[in-house]
Amino acid sequence: IDGFASPEPPPLAFIYEANPVHRSVNGADIAKALSRTQTVIAFSPFIDDTNRFADFIVPAGFPVPASEMMRLSPSGADIKDPCDVLRSIFTAAGVSVPASSASRKETLTALRSVSADIASFTADVERIRTMHSGSAKFPLMMIPAELPSVGDGSLLAYPYANKNHPEFLLEKEELSVWINPQTAAKYRLSAGDSIALKSERGVLDGLRVRLSNLYPTECVAVPVGFGHNGLSRYADGRGVNMKRIAEAAVDSSGCALIYATPVRIVEESP
């Protein structure tokens, strides 16, 4: 998906239940590429940050049996699986596509190939954090805090209002970030202080300090899943998207450096 963020995007793009404009660290570049793409066809049950660039939106299937979907649909409606819609489009364009069963098998195989060894991954993250510690320019590590009550950024864990997240997570339009008390004392920060973080990629403001011993020293944990632009009135403009300034590279071991982005605290955006 990140490879799509190029100066010369393809003339036709399909987006299947994905929201890379928000979820990718290259989201801003992907948005620019989509705006220049001649035709964008999206498959999704929701309007979100990415498919607002789409020329056509096909409702993606919900997890209900086809017979139940037929019963709930208007009389005479032609109900199709989204995969069959894709095949119809490619067939009409004269492109050979695999059979339904083969396509699903290939998808499962692809998913298995990217499964990670969590223990090894955790060691890589700690190695990167240690490697960057002590940098004069960016002395802190920004790490993503993934909260089950919020979601990963794709749907904001609907229904938004019914989730059991801390009431101070969003306060006065500022997003809470967590800092170890020792680190906060080092930088003369107190709970409730407003800060901004700066990395090599830019500045993230609208942040409010919270203290927590759950996170290591010399780190700032920023919740992911916020900062939407196009995902309902409940999500739009709430908080900020930490991926906008997160490290976009992958190191030689395959570890995504978003999990250890060097940053420093600044008072306000330049």
Side-chain angles (χ1 to χ4, degrees), residues 51-74:
N51 62 35
R52 63 192 179 95
F53 292 97
D55 300 284
F56 301 95
I57 299 179
V58 180
F62 285 90
V64 296
S67 57
E68 183 68 7
M69 184 70 79
M70 289 292 292
R71 187 183 71 81
L72 297 173
S73 301

Side-chain angles (χ1 to χ4, degrees), residues 117-131 251 253 255 259-260:
D117 180 340
I118 299 301
S120 174
F121 177 76
T122 302
D124 280 338
V125 172
E126 182 60 26
R127 173 179 55 79
I128 294 168
R129 191 177 77 86
T130 303
M131 180 176 64
D251 82 347
S253 71
C255 183
Y259 288 94

Side-chain angles (χ1 to χ4, degrees), residues 122-223:
T122 302
D124 280 338
V125 172
E126 182 60 26
R127 173 179 55 79
I128 294 168
R129 191 177 77 86
T130 303
M131 180 176 64
H132 285 292
S133 64
S135 167
K137 188 176 181 181
F138 298 109
L140 297 172
M141 286 291 106
M142 181 179 71
I143 59 177
E146 298 176 342
L147 309 177
S149 60
V150 177
D152 58 6
S154 57
L155 292 179
L156 203 61
Y158 281 100
Y160 178 68
N162 293 337
K163 295 302 176 181
N164 186 27
H165 53 258
E167 61 181 13
F168 55 77
L169 193 58
L170 280 169
E171 186 177 12
K172 296 181 180 179
E173 300 304 317
E174 291 184 318
L175 182 65
S176 290
V177 298
W178 288 277
I179 301 177
N180 187 287
Q182 287 182 253
T183 302
K186 178 179 177 180
Y187 292 93
R188 298 181 179 180
L189 296 173
S190 301
D193 284 352
S194 297
I195 63 169
L197 296 176
K198 179 176 176 59
S199 75
E200 290 282 10
R201 298 188 67 206
V203 174
L204 193 70
D205 49 20
L207 306 175
R208 184 178 289 266
V209 172
R210 296 293 171 187
L211 305 182
S212 174
N213 284 305
L214 293 176
Y215 297 94
T217 58
E218 306 303 322
C219 286
V220 181
V222 183

Side-chain angles (χ1 to χ4, degrees), residues 70 73-79:
M70 289 292 292
S73 301
S75 177
D78 183 15
I79 304 300

Side-chain angles (χ1 to χ4, degrees), residues 13-33:
F14 292 92
I15 303 170
Y16 190 88
E17 292 195 14
N19 189 5
V21 168
H22 183 272
R23 299 184 68 185
S24 170
V25 291
N26 294 313
D29 292 332
I30 293 174
K32 293 177 182 177

